[in-house]
């Protein structure tokens, strides 16, 4: 049955009020590919600039109260930088979100971090994650999101099973240190930087490791970390079913871990994932699922791209909220395939932009966040302030 206009608006308010997505500090910094970086005058190069940019995105979208931090990049002095982060949280009205240890840049990690054959290097990596847990505790952050670069490039060069054992041990040690409300989110990735085997290559491995690590460990799904045409919503459904879904790193991909803007290549994929989450929520999700963005804007303006991402996420979340799940269940039960698919597709093809605009107006937010960014002069101002400080950065040659 078609909903009345006011019922649709109520649904919109409910869906968008509840929708929060964490943005990454590194999305505001100069990044590039392994071939080089193209620097941008507006890019953030200090943690304060990142907080300031995050606050601008939150002001425009109303959905990004937290920012993910990467320990090495944002807190280079580790615990010593925590007080500064606290001050910036107050100053900019943005809270620190998930804490990301960095196990991929030190020279020691050439042959792995938590899975390195050297016990001393494994200990160094565990200690860094334990420091990250302490940082998160002091900042009141719930989630530690762990991504490892570990793997090998050539068959026969590493013992895959020994590395599983070392990893299990490390994760147990880390889990032991969590505060009661903290979680360890374990991310997987099929390849890169390692090209033959990756120690945590898929959601099955992450799930198993989460089970071994302890009850506060969960799986982190980075949408870019799947092979072409893999059915991500099915993985999400399984993780919901097993209670192991911890959260997402959202981005889009065409070929591999491209870190493109969410929904830029395949918005239907995001819609299908969101549908699984709406279904689970309607049934009373037993635990929190963290929505985070993990993108790298090499070519687009950083703040523009982040606003575009959040607006896209809001729209797709709303589209998925519009699926008439009761009616869909009836069609599914009777195997009325075309009716079910049309209902599903119908929600996807609904133009929700006027609804989102009405919600923004009701919440005192700019009706068109991208236009408001342009008109507000923030980017011009930071270009003036930051522009002269950037120097060209090298390529890998
Ligand atoms: C990895 C992974 C991690 C991110 C790093 C920078 O591919 O997605 O989550 O922190 O990139
Ligand atoms: Mn990621
Ligand atoms: Mn990635």
């Amino acid at each position: 049955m078609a909903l009345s206009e006011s019922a649709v608006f109520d649904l919109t308010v409910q869906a968008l009020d509840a929708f929060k997505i964490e943005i990454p500090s590194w999305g505001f910094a100069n990044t590039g590919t392994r071939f080089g970086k193209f620097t941008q005058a507006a890019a953030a190069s200090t943690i304060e600039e990142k907080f300031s940019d995050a606050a601008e995105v939150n002001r425009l979208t109303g959905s990004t109260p937290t920012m993910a931090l990467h320990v090495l990049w944002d807190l280079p002095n580790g615990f010593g930088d925590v007080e500064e982060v606290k001050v910036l949280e107050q100053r900019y009205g943005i809270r620190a979100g998930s804490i990301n240890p960095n196990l991929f840049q030190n020279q020691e990690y050439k042959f792995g971090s938590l899975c390195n054959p050297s016990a001393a290097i494994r200990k160094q990596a565990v200690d860094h994650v334990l420091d990250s847990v302490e940082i998160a505790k002091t900042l009141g952050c719930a989630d530690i999101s762990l991504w490892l670069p570990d793997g090998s490039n050539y068959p026969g060069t590493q013992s895959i099973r020994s590395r599983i054992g070392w990893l299990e041990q490390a994760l147990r040690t880390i889990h032991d240190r969590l505060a009661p409300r903290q979680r360890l989110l374990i991310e997987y990735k099929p390849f890169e930087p390692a090209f033959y085997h990756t120690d945590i290559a898929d959601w099955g491995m992450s799930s198993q490791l989460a089970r071994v690590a302890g009850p506060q460990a969960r799986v982190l799904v980075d949408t870019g970390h799947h092979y072409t045409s893999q059915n991500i919503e099915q993985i999400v459904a399984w993780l919901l079913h097993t209670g192991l879904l911890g959260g997402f790193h959202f981005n889009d991909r065409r070929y591999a871990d491209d870190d493109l803007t969410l929904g830029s290549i395949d918005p239907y994929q995001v819609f299908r994932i969101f549908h699984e989450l709406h279904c689970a929520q309607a049934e009373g999700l037993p635990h929190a699922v963290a929505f985070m963005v993990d993108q790298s804007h090499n070519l687009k303006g950083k703040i523009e791209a982040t606003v575009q991402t959040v607006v896209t996420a809001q729209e797709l979340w709303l589209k998925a909220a519009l699926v008439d799940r009761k009616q869909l269940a009836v069609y599914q039960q009777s195997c009325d395939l075309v009716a079910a698919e049309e209902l599903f597709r119908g929600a996807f093809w609904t133009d929700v932009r006027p609804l989102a605009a009405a919600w923004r107006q009701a919440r005192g937010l700019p009706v068109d966040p991208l236009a408001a960014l342009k008109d507000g002069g923030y980017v011009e101002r930071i270009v003036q302030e930051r522009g002269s400080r950037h120097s060209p950065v090298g390529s890998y040659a």
Side-chain angles (χ1 to χ4, degrees):
M1 199 187 69
L3 290 174
S4 69
E5 230 173 85
S6 77
V8 171
F9 187 64
D10 288 349
L11 215 150
T12 301
V13 169
Q14 219 184 352
L16 294 184
D17 277 355
F19 185 79
K20 302 289 173 221
I21 190 162
E22 183 165 305
I23 47 179
S25 69
W26 53 97
F28 298 120
N30 272 322
T31 47
T33 67
R34 63 196 177 95
F35 298 98
K37 287 184 188 180
F38 296 108
T39 54
Q40 295 186 20
S45 50
T46 65
I47 175 99
E48 170 147 20
E49 289 172 354
K50 293 170 188 172
F51 266 94
S52 168
D53 293 354
E56 176 69 359
V57 174
N58 194 36
R59 184 184 75 79
L60 294 166
T61 63
S63 287
T64 63
T66 61
M67 177 168 72
L69 300 178
H70 235 290
V71 173
L72 199 66
W73 303 335
D74 297 322
L75 298 102
N77 306 307
F79 210 79
D81 289 330
V82 162
E83 283 311 310
E84 191 194 349
V85 171
K86 282 187 179 168
V87 169
L88 295 174
E89 287 184 311
Q90 291 298 323
R91 187 173 302 155
Y92 291 98
I94 293 289
R95 275 176 292 113
S98 60
I99 299 296
N100 295 248
N102 187 313
L103 298 173
F104 49 89
Q105 280 181 306
N106 293 39
Q107 292 301 313
E108 291 87 340
Y109 301 146
K110 184 169 176 183
F111 303 116
S113 59
L114 300 179
C115 307
N116 196 299
S118 150
I121 295 175
R122 292 202 299 279
K123 183 174 180 317
Q124 177 183 340
V126 169
D127 285 347
H128 173 68
V129 183
L130 293 178
D131 286 348
S132 307
V133 172
E134 292 309 317
I135 289 171
K137 273 185 200 166
T138 313
L139 289 171
C141 304
D143 292 337
I144 311 295
S145 34
L146 194 66
W147 173 72
L148 308 182
D150 296 33
S152 67
N153 274 2
Y154 298 98
T157 59
Q158 286 291 298
S159 161
I160 295 174
R161 289 180 54 220
S162 298
R163 293 170 71 103
I164 295 172
W166 294 325
L167 185 50
E168 288 182 339
Q169 236 172 15
L171 293 178
R172 279 200 206 102
T173 307
I174 294 161
H175 188 282
D176 270 359
R177 193 66 80 79
L178 297 176
R181 259 183 290 280
Q182 283 189 308
R183 307 187 306 170
L184 179 66
L185 307 183
I186 305 175
E187 188 168 351
Y188 57 90
K189 181 171 177 174
F191 71 93
E192 200 207 19
F195 292 124
Y196 162 62
H197 106 278
T198 291
D199 287 291
I200 314 178
D202 66 26
W203 69 279
M205 298 177 204
S206 280
S207 294
Q208 177 57 21
L209 289 166
R211 283 194 197 95
V212 168
Q216 290 162 239
R218 297 277 185 283
V219 176
L220 177 64
V221 178
D222 184 314
T223 46
H225 294 188
H226 298 89
Y227 287 117
T228 303
S229 88
Q230 214 169 339
N231 185 334
I232 304 174
E233 65 270 25
Q234 185 181 12
I235 294 171
V236 170
W238 268 95
L239 291 172
L240 285 165
H241 179 76
T242 53
L244 285 174
L245 182 65
F248 291 91
H249 270 180
F250 285 113
N251 53 63
D252 212 339
R253 70 183 290 285
R254 179 68 183 86
Y255 299 103
D257 189 22
D258 307 334
D259 282 340
L260 298 179
T261 314
L262 176 75
S264 57
I265 303 291
D266 187 358
Y268 195 33
Q269 166 79 83
V270 185
F271 170 85
R272 297 191 306 259
I273 293 172
F274 282 168
H275 170 66
E276 289 303 325
L277 293 162
H278 278 297
C279 290
Q281 251 176 24
E283 292 158 21
L285 241 191
H287 59 269
V289 176
F291 286 6
M292 301 173 270
V293 172
D294 184 5
Q295 289 176 181
S296 169
H297 314 115
N298 303 331
L299 308 176
K300 287 177 176 173
K302 318 275 174 195
I303 300 169
E304 230 179 335
T306 310
V307 169
Q308 197 187 23
T309 301
V310 176
V311 168
T312 304
Q314 289 170 326
E315 289 168 358
L316 290 164
W317 180 250
L318 180 52
K319 280 173 188 272
L322 294 181
V323 171
D324 182 346
R325 290 184 295 273
K326 276 204 182 107
Q327 185 60 52
L328 185 65
V330 172
Y331 291 145
Q332 289 175 341
Q333 186 60 36
S334 57
C335 297
D336 198 340
L337 308 187
V338 172
E341 191 186 10
E342 286 303 309
L343 184 156
F344 197 63
R345 273 174 10 104
F348 176 68
W349 286 111
T350 306
D351 183 0
V352 295
R353 288 173 299 182
L355 284 170
W359 170 76
R360 291 192 174 99
Q361 196 155 33
R363 290 289 172 253
L365 295 162
V367 171
D368 181 342
L370 273 176
L373 174 65
K374 221 176 192 165
D375 298 344
Y378 180 84
V379 177
E380 279 88 342
R381 183 162 65 74
I382 60 173
V383 163
Q384 291 299 319
E385 288 170 9
R386 304 174 186 176
S388 54
R389 274 188 280 132
H390 296 297
S391 51
V393 243
S395 76
Y396 83 142

